[in-house]
Amino acid sequence: MDHARAAISNLFSGEPMSYTRFSIARQTDGDNSHVEMKLSADDEEGGEAGRPEHLHAHVAQPWRNGKNLCFLLIAAFLLLLIGFLIGYLSYRGRMQLAAKCLEGGGKCEVTPTASYLADGDETEEEEVPGPPILYWPDLKNLLSTKLSDRRLEENLKQRANKNSFEAGQSEDENMAIYIHDLFKSFFLNQVWKDKHYIKLQVKGSTKNKVSVVEDGKEEELETPDAYVAYSETGTVTGKPVYANYGQKEDFQKLEKSAIELNGTIVIVRAGKITLAEKVVNAKEKGAVGVLMYLDPYKNTDDLVPFGHAHLGTGDPYTPGFPSFNHTQFPPIESSGLPHIAVQTISSHAASRLFSKMDGESCLPQWRGGLLVCKMTVRSDKQLTVKLEVNNVMVDRKILNIFGAITGFEEPDRYVVIGAQRDSWGPGAAKAGVGTAILLELARVISDIVKNEGYKPRRSIIFASWSAGDYGAVGATEWLEGYSATLHAKAFTYINLDAAVLGTNDIKISASPLLYALLERTMKGVNDPLISSRKLYDKVGSSWVKSIVPFGLDNAAFPFLAYSGIPVVSFGFYNKDEDYPFLGTTQDTVENLKAINSLYAHLRAAAEVAGQIALRLTHDHELFLDFGRYSEELLAFQEKFLVYDQDVKELGLNLDWLFLARGDFQRAANALRRDIENSDKENKVIRRALNDRIMKVEYDFLSPFLSPKDAPLRHIFFGKGSHTLQSLLDHLQLLKTSRSEVDLNMLKEQLALATWTIKGAANALEGDIWNTDNTF
């Protein structure tokens, strides 16, 4: 070794090898630092005299130069060889990883990351070991392998032989305790209960009654066991009028037929829109009551469904406020309460009522499955319907149950998976299916974390809601109670309710942010009916066009429209044939099992939900397609352009609205560039970029409206005049009935839409100095 060292030393002026010492010191005048560099082979004390004499002897012998050169060449060759081997092995490893990624069809991560620094921590990042690499194809396969049809069946059987799981009652509470204990047995990191004290309207001691009064004689039509929550109580009478599904266009057809609606009791059939929406439409036309029946299907003539008439979600007597026990409730109620009498009846009772009506026959497309269908009665016929509603208000305590797997890198960022637990009646399809999937996903994902080494970057919360039958009350009260934190921490909600109601078709409702992930997921899950086919093949490449709009009956709706959290609801159904037992006493496990390959479909739905949750906690970058809203805004702009000249004739213009859309597009492009140019291993930068992504949905909640007065503030999915759809409806009046246009309201709508979109663009841009307010 001494020989080699001496040879290298000879190469540099024949002296032994030197070292370099850097001295960095601040100049006394406060100027820039200077660097002092000293080359020396000696320590400061010994100098040249401190060097051993045998090294001088080696340097002084020129006859050894040839041998030293040989050593030098050998050392150089070895260094080159080692470098080549290191480079080859590194390249080979990357190629193997790339092949594995391509096989999985998704994004892969090469380098694991460490835990993030807490907000406000200015200390240097500590190098800690990251989570072991578990590549996406392996994780996806683990989920698919561990999901069990048998376990799903066992979970569903918990609802067998039970008559009701009404919110706040014993069976609902027993099921809550059962789920809580199961979460504990899965060794979830956190398991807890959330109590709320709410007002519910329930069936009174005397049954509600529907009668027909003809020529002064009253004949009882039906005294159903079911009832409609939040109906106006008391007795009303009126002439019967049939309004098909009770949609706005149905009432418009009646008006065109010169059928009087004021003071009537409207008959509608279930479907198309929620019962609450049917009631509101009827009330707007002056009706004093509403009767709804199920279209007859096989042996369902005597079935009467349960429902609620609140046009909203949550406890209608604490709108905008959480129903905690210590809350001092203000003396207000939701504007969505109907204040007209509502009751559900059987199709058999509906047929008897139609047989007594002697007016014009129904339109062919309005008939449904009834043999006899009449629109109304003759003006001179003395026939009315009498409706008695005896519901009562009660105070109830409900429990939401939660379990959490905490993330290893960002535990305060979480995806929520939830399902309704309560039901009026057995609720096998309405609540049992979702609860069965929820429990199985909690078991499987916990097992993957505990036993397979998966360390999710972000947390996963499993939630079991109560009072879902009354309008997603449990879920909404949770959102209202923790609204200040949830919008900043929860980045996706996955709804499992009624995930299997058939087999022929797939029903999808989702935020545009999740379209790309949902499509990727469907390409990786097999169709339960044809194992060689993927779910994506079943829905087709244009599946986005068949997206089902969110309704008030979907528990995901308040997460999206109230809290601005991206949501997805996925399930199997038959498009041309509704599941007939939903919301009735016949929604039993036995009737549900009549669905072909029931448990295979439950498993497929669980796999879709599980893949979405795992993918959102696996990747460095949140798998949310923030650029998709640019396309949604462009689609609205194309619709608005039709009315551009009409708006200008009013002294207004749409330019500012279009400029705001362009700003959002540019902000999305800028964020995409920031992500591409960022260091994915820098935890602070990655967290900041992900925060910008996850806030996109929230930024479409109009900040100019009060959450108390207009809780559903989302301009795409909310309810009210602030939405883009409401603006479009108002603009359409410019072509059809310009005299009905409210100019001041139109100005307000344009301002709200423009500045909400502009605000979303500014937030997406990032730092305030990057925003462009030149418009």
Side-chain angles (χ1 to χ4, degrees):
M1 196 64 191
D2 289 341
H3 288 250
R5 189 185 301 113
I8 296 171
S9 299
N10 284 337
L11 187 66
F12 296 98
S13 303
E15 293 185 6
M17 193 165 183
S18 305
Y19 71 88
T20 303
R21 183 175 64 195
F22 292 89
S23 175
I24 303 177
R26 173 72 61 184
Q27 301 230 8
T28 57
D29 60 0
D31 237 353
N32 294 333
S33 301
H34 73 280
V35 178
E36 176 187 320
M37 185 168 64
K38 180 178 179 181
L39 296 178
S40 173
D42 324 310
D43 63 25
E44 293 180 355
E45 295 178 0
E48 192 72 19
R51 294 174 63 195
E53 289 185 5
H54 68 275
L55 290 182
H56 292 284
H58 285 301
V59 175
Q61 298 178 23
W63 58 272
R64 300 178 65 95
N65 282 349
K67 192 173 182 180
N68 291 341
L69 182 60
C70 180
F71 279 121
L72 178 63
L73 292 173
I74 293 172
F77 175 75
L78 288 174
L79 287 172
L80 286 171
L81 180 62
I82 291 170
F84 173 78
L85 289 174
I86 291 173
Y88 171 74
L89 291 174
S90 174
Y91 173 79
R92 185 165 177 256
R94 287 198 303 271
M95 291 303 100
Q96 289 176 336
L97 175 59
K100 195 167 191 177
C101 290
L102 289 172
E103 179 185 352
K107 296 188 288 186
C108 276
E109 301 172 311
V110 178
T111 310
T113 59
S115 300
Y116 68 93
L117 285 174
D119 290 339
D121 190 348
E122 296 181 0
T123 59
E124 185 178 349
E125 284 188 15
E126 179 184 354
E127 290 297 331
V128 295
I133 295 175
L134 189 58
Y135 298 112
W136 175 245
D138 298 330
L139 185 57
K140 185 173 65 172
N141 290 337
L142 278 172
L143 173 70
S144 181
T145 301
K146 289 178 178 290
L147 286 171
S148 166
D149 290 10
R150 180 181 62 81
R151 295 269 192 171
L152 288 164
E153 183 176 5
E154 289 175 0
N155 292 339
L156 188 59
K157 281 182 178 178
Q158 294 300 317
R159 301 190 87 85
N161 305 318
K162 302 288 175 63
N163 294 326
S164 177
F165 292 83
E166 189 173 335
Q169 298 293 75
S170 59
E171 289 298 342
D172 175 45
E173 191 162 330
N174 290 340
M175 180 60 73
I177 295 169
Y178 171 77
I179 292 171
H180 182 274
D181 292 344
L182 266 186
F183 282 171
K184 286 278 190 182
S185 71
F186 297 154
F187 299 103
L188 301 182
N189 300 109
Q190 305 288 337
V191 178
W192 72 99
K193 303 173 185 176
D194 197 54
K195 297 179 184 178
H196 293 276
Y197 297 83
I198 62 175
K199 287 185 179 296
L200 297 178
Q201 192 186 61
V202 300
K203 183 171 59 175
S205 57
T206 303
K207 286 185 178 182
N208 299 340
K209 185 170 73 170
V210 183
S211 306
V212 176
V213 180
E214 187 173 8
D215 297 328
K217 296 180 181 179
E218 182 176 332
E219 177 186 349
E220 182 181 294
L221 195 65
E222 193 165 54
T223 55
D225 288 325
Y227 66 100
V228 176
Y230 307 123
S231 163
E232 186 76 1
T233 58
T235 302
V236 295
T237 59
K239 282 194 173 185
V241 174
Y242 179 56
N244 195 25
Y245 288 111
Q247 300 176 101
K248 288 184 182 296
E249 51 266 37
D250 295 328
F251 285 102
Q252 289 168 359
K253 287 180 180 178
L254 290 174
E255 289 179 321
K256 289 179 180 178
S257 300
I259 294 177
E260 178 62 40
L261 292 166
N262 191 47
T264 61
I265 290 182
V266 173
I267 309 163
V268 295
R269 54 175 170 156
K272 301 295 184 183
I273 57 176
T274 64
L275 172 57
E277 290 171 299
K278 298 174 193 288
V279 173
V280 167
N281 292 340
K283 183 184 177 183
E284 287 177 352
K285 300 303 179 182
V288 296
V290 174
L291 298 174
M292 187 188 78
Y293 68 92
L294 295 173
D295 248 342
Y297 173 80
K298 294 182 180 177
N299 298 318
T300 63
D301 287 1
D302 295 322
L303 289 182
V304 182
F306 167 86
H308 75 86
H310 177 214
L311 188 69
T313 64
D315 184 348
Y317 297 96
T318 59
F321 292 89
S323 294
F324 292 128
N325 198 29
H326 58 272
T327 303
Q328 301 298 305
F329 299 124
I332 58 174
E333 62 180 37
S334 169
S335 60
L337 289 174
H339 294 297
I340 64 172
V342 189
Q343 177 60 47
T344 49
I345 59 175
S346 66
S347 59
H348 176 69
S351 293
R352 288 179 56 201
L353 178 55
F354 282 133
S355 68
K356 294 178 179 295
M357 296 164 60
D358 61 352
E360 182 182 345
S361 294
C362 296
L363 299 170
Q365 62 270 31
W366 284 26
R367 183 179 297 277
L370 295 177
L371 296 177
V372 179
C373 179
K374 298 292 179 67
M375 301 286 280
T376 185
V377 295
R378 294 197 315 266
S379 58
D380 60 339
K381 186 176 178 67
Q382 297 300 310
L383 185 143
T384 59
V385 172
K386 181 180 177 182
L387 171 58
E388 299 177 30
V389 178
N390 302 303
N391 300 346
V392 296
M393 297 299 302
V394 296
D395 294 316
R396 291 267 177 89
K397 180 189 78 173
I398 61 170
L399 298 175
N400 293 327
I401 306 298
F402 301 92
I405 296 172
T406 53
F408 285 77
E409 185 173 317
E410 295 184 281
D412 62 341
R413 299 290 184 266
Y414 28 82
V415 54
V416 183
I417 309 174
Q420 172 183 331
R421 182 183 68 248
D422 70 294
S423 61
W424 186 87
K430 193 166 191 179
V433 164
T435 298
I437 295 173
L438 178 74
L439 294 174
E440 178 64 355
L441 285 175
R443 181 191 72 83
V444 169
I445 296 176
S446 177
D447 180 47
I448 293 173
V449 172
K450 299 292 182 185
N451 300 318
E452 304 295 342
Y454 175 53
K455 296 191 175 182
R457 299 183 188 281
R458 305 166 194 96
S459 299
I460 303 174
I461 294 178
F462 303 94
S464 174
W465 312 113
S466 185
D469 254 5
Y470 293 84
V473 174
T476 302
E477 296 307 314
W478 186 65
L479 290 170
E480 290 176 344
Y482 305 99
S483 60
T485 56
L486 285 175
H487 82 269
K489 296 187 176 184
F491 56 85
T492 296
Y493 177 69
I494 302 170
N495 182 39
L496 304 176
D497 292 341
V500 180
L501 298 176
T503 61
N504 296 338
D505 305 287
I506 294 177
K507 184 177 183 179
I508 301 170
S509 299
S511 160
L513 290 172
L514 287 162
Y515 287 176
L517 176 55
L518 193 53
E519 181 168 306
R520 181 74 61 87
T521 301
M522 289 190 291
K523 289 179 177 179
V525 178
N526 292 332
D527 183 345
L529 295 178
I530 306 174
S531 59
S532 60
R533 183 174 72 172
K534 300 297 182 184
L535 292 179
Y536 179 76
D537 301 322
K538 187 168 187 169
V539 297
S541 59
S542 58
W543 65 272
V544 172
K545 295 179 181 178
S546 60
I547 287 278
V548 178
F550 283 100
L552 291 167
D553 56 345
N554 191 317
F557 181 69
F559 280 84
L560 179 62
Y562 175 79
S563 294
I565 298 171
V567 298
V568 59
S569 186
F570 177 95
F572 298 95
Y573 78 127
N574 296 330
K575 187 184 301 182
D576 300 324
E577 185 180 278
D578 290 336
Y579 180 73
F581 308 111
L582 204 64
T584 73
T585 55
Q586 294 304 305
D587 185 11
T588 63
V589 174
E590 286 303 313
N591 282 330
L592 185 64
K593 285 165 65 176
I595 293 176
N596 183 33
S597 306
L598 172 64
Y599 297 109
H601 282 82
L602 259 69
R603 189 180 181 283
E607 192 169 354
V608 169
Q611 279 200 30
I612 291 172
L614 289 175
R615 195 61 187 265
L616 287 167
T617 60
H618 173 272
D619 293 356
H620 281 291
E621 177 191 331
L622 277 178
F623 207 129
L624 298 176
D625 185 8
F626 54 87
R628 181 73 196 202
Y629 265 118
S630 295
E631 299 178 35
E632 301 298 316
L633 286 169
L634 185 60
F636 266 106
Q637 178 172 314
E638 291 172 352
K639 295 174 183 177
F640 292 150
L641 273 172
V642 177
Y643 308 100
D644 187 46
Q645 188 58 41
D646 300 282
V647 170
K648 287 178 179 177
E649 291 174 5
L650 295 175
L652 304 173
N653 66 70
L654 300 173
D655 294 348
W656 306 119
L657 184 60
F658 298 159
L659 284 170
R661 187 212 65 79
D663 284 346
F664 186 86
Q665 176 68 66
R666 286 186 288 274
N669 293 339
L671 177 54
R672 195 172 287 111
R673 287 193 301 271
D674 288 347
I675 293 171
E676 290 171 356
N677 297 329
S678 68
D679 177 8
K680 286 185 171 57
E681 297 306 314
N682 187 311
K683 294 166 286 187
V684 176
I685 292 176
R686 187 171 66 247
R687 180 177 170 88
L689 291 171
N690 280 335
D691 282 353
R692 285 164 66 184
I693 294 172
M694 67 180 284
K695 277 188 89 273
V696 169
E697 199 78 73
Y698 178 79
D699 290 327
F700 281 116
L701 301 184
S702 179
F704 309 103
L705 301 173
S706 164
K708 181 174 73 70
D709 299 329
L712 307 176
R713 295 178 293 146
H714 203 295
I715 64 170
F716 284 93
F717 300 102
K719 300 288 184 183
S721 61
H722 62 282
T723 64
L724 295 178
Q725 184 59 51
S726 179
L727 172 58
L728 181 60
D729 293 342
H730 202 170
L731 290 175
Q732 288 172 347
L733 293 177
L734 294 173
K735 298 287 189 185
T736 59
S737 182
R738 182 167 292 201
S739 61
E740 296 181 23
V741 173
D742 184 332
L743 185 59
N744 288 332
M745 181 180 177
L746 183 59
K747 287 180 179 179
E748 182 176 298
Q749 287 179 307
L750 288 170
L752 287 175
T754 299
W755 286 105
T756 300
I757 296 168
K758 178 62 178 173
N762 289 344
L764 194 62
E765 192 78 49
D767 294 313
I768 191 67
W769 49 83
N770 290 329
T771 59
D772 177 13
N773 266 329
T774 54
F775 102 32

